[in-house]
């Protein structure tokens, strides 16, 4: 088809520099800025221009403790946190779901993760790709932010 769906999850610490519930006006403004930035997926996850993709839908949410499965997509953060810290601090996670329409999806050869430039606290992203050709899982890091998708499409 001509649709591309992207589901994104990240710990608040990677995006905000903190994971607690925003209390001050400065913290709330930081959350609002992250949500506004995540609402522009094609600026964060850049697809091949020739594919001519546009955003059909972008849904972004910040979830706090009790509203998500703890540390589902960011296990290395859990390794760095003490058990006592986890028991006493609240944690936040951002979730975004995107639907893109591409005039020429067959032209997609890669995805550049400009995301790392916008959110420099992020050490890695795990990408899972599902296509008619199969399923693949990839680790993307700031030092190599381009994911070659030719074998997947």
């Amino acid at each position: 088809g001509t649709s591309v769906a992207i589901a994104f999850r990240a710990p608040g610490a990677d995006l905000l520099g903190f994971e607690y519930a925003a209390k001050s006006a400065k913290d709330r403004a930081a959350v609002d800025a992250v949500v506004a930035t995540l609402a522009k997926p094609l600026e964060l996850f850049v697809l091949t221009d020739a594919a001519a993709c546009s955003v059909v839908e972008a849904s972004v949410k910040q979830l706090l403790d009790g509203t998500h499965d703890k540390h589902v997509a960011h296990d290395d953060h859990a390794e760095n946190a003490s058990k006592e810290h986890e028991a006493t601090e609240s944690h936040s996670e951002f979730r975004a779901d995107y639907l893109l329409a591409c005039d020429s999806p067959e032209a997609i050869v890669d995805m550049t993760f400009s995301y790392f430039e916008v959110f420099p606290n992020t050490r890695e992203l795990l990408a899972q790709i599902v296509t008619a050709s199969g399923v693949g899982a990839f680790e993307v890091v700031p030092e190599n932010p381009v994911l070659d998708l030719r074998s997947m499409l």
Side-chain angles (χ1 to χ4, degrees):
T2 60
S3 296
V4 175
I6 301 172
F8 173 80
R9 311 289 179 258
D14 282 4
L15 308 179
L16 295 167
F18 62 86
E19 281 200 330
Y20 54 81
K23 295 179 180 113
S24 69
K26 181 180 174 185
D27 288 351
R28 285 190 294 276
V31 169
D32 290 344
V34 165
V35 169
T37 300
L38 290 176
K40 300 173 190 167
L42 292 176
E43 293 178 18
L44 301 172
F45 311 105
V46 182
L47 295 169
T48 312
D49 284 342
C53 297
S54 60
V55 179
V56 174
E57 186 177 326
S59 169
V60 181
K61 298 177 192 164
Q62 181 192 27
L63 304 174
L64 299 171
D65 268 349
T67 58
H68 74 289
D69 297 329
K70 270 192 172 182
H71 305 291
V72 169
H74 49 282
D75 290 335
D76 65 337
H77 171 74
E79 291 171 15
N80 295 331
S82 70
K83 296 297 178 188
E84 182 177 293
H85 168 81
E86 287 189 36
T88 59
E89 296 287 325
S90 66
H91 296 277
S92 69
E93 175 181 84
F94 284 85
R95 292 188 179 191
D97 293 293
Y98 307 117
L99 182 61
L100 310 177
C102 300
D103 292 341
S104 302
E106 68 282 356
I108 297 172
V109 294
D110 60 27
M111 179 184 288
T112 301
F113 289 77
S114 300
Y115 172 92
F116 292 115
E117 296 169 21
V118 178
F119 298 110
N121 289 336
T122 305
R123 294 183 307 269
E124 69 180 14
L125 288 176
L126 301 177
Q128 295 178 332
I129 310 294
V130 180
T131 68
S133 301
V135 178
F138 307 90
E139 182 178 294
V140 185
V141 295
E143 300 79 27
N144 187 16
V146 179
L147 181 58
D148 185 340
L149 298 172
R150 286 176 286 199
S151 65
M152 295 298 302
L153 301 172

